[in-house]
Amino acid sequence: MYNVMLVDDDYPVIELLSEAISWNELGLNLMGSYENGMSAWEDAKSSPPDILITDIGMPKMNGLELSARIKEVKADVRIAILSCHNEFQYAQQAMRLNVQDYLLKDTLDPEELAQLLKRFKQAMDEEAQKGWEQSRMIHLVDESRELRKEQSLKNFIHQPLLSP
């Protein structure tokens, strides 16, 4: 189960998203809802989320700074920005941080966010599967290398000392 952090200073948005999305059915754990970036960062330092959903404009620490700090701790975090700002400069800053999605609050539908979360989860599951397959292949290569060494040593031992 992947951990999700929800950060927004607009309490009705947090309440709506906390209740409207079936987190457990999506295979996600809502690890916390925060009203500003600083309180979210305090928790993220010790337990970084797999998915961050954050507003941009918040007191104490904005969502872009929070995203950058969490990326320093967990580079593969998935980030969705919620914003009232339809301005290019905010989207541009989000793109520099490799944010996966930028959603406008005034047109936000919880079902749209749920679909986005499903895509995030699917991508993370695929990456985990690839990582497992890669580690299995490495193990098999190491195992076959040891078997080849052993076979070479046996062949050397069983060869006659002098050939006719």
Side-chain angles (χ1 to χ4, degrees):
M1 193 168 275
Y2 299 106
N3 289 320
V4 180
M5 184 176 275
L6 183 58
V7 189
D8 198 319
D9 62 336
D10 190 0
Y11 184 75
V13 171
I14 285 182
E15 190 174 19
L16 171 70
L17 296 178
S18 296
E19 294 175 10
I21 295 176
S22 303
W23 300 97
N24 288 334
E25 287 178 22
L26 293 173
L28 302 171
N29 172 45
L30 183 59
M31 64 186 277
S33 299
Y34 304 86
E35 62 185 22
N36 65 66
M38 187 58 76
S39 60
W41 172 239
E42 289 303 318
D43 283 354
K45 285 190 282 190
S46 60
S47 181
D50 299 300
I51 299 171
L52 172 65
I53 302 167
T54 183
D55 184 16
I56 286 185
M58 296 180 292
K60 299 183 183 178
M61 180 187 297
N62 71 40
L64 294 173
E65 185 178 347
L66 173 64
S67 298
R69 287 187 180 192
I70 290 178
K71 274 202 169 280
E72 289 174 5
V73 177
K74 185 174 176 67
D76 63 344
V77 65
R78 298 294 196 280
I79 302 172
I81 299 282
L82 300 177
S83 180
C84 295
H85 305 287
N86 193 9
E87 297 174 20
F88 181 69
Q89 75 180 49
Y90 291 110
Q92 190 177 31
Q93 287 176 311
M95 296 298 269
R96 283 191 200 114
L97 290 170
N98 291 324
V99 168
Q100 282 72 29
D101 218 319
Y102 189 96
L103 305 167
L104 295 175
K105 285 185 188 179
D106 51 349
T107 60
L108 180 65
D109 175 15
E111 184 55 36
E112 179 185 356
L113 183 58
Q115 292 303 317
L116 175 65
L117 291 168
K118 284 179 188 177
R119 289 193 306 272
F120 282 179
K121 183 182 181 302
Q122 182 179 7
M124 290 186 294
D125 287 345
E126 288 170 4
E127 287 173 10
Q129 179 66 27
K130 286 178 186 175
W132 180 85
E133 289 170 359
Q134 186 176 15
S135 66
R136 178 71 183 134
M137 292 299 283
I138 290 170
H139 176 72
L140 289 173
V141 166
D142 290 343
E143 210 173 73
S144 67
R145 185 178 298 127
E146 289 301 316
L147 289 172
R148 285 195 315 265
K149 281 182 190 176
E150 184 179 320
Q151 189 60 45
S152 295
L153 190 57
K154 283 181 182 177
N155 289 344
F156 179 75
I157 291 173
H158 293 298
Q159 286 182 354
L161 287 176
L162 297 171
S163 60

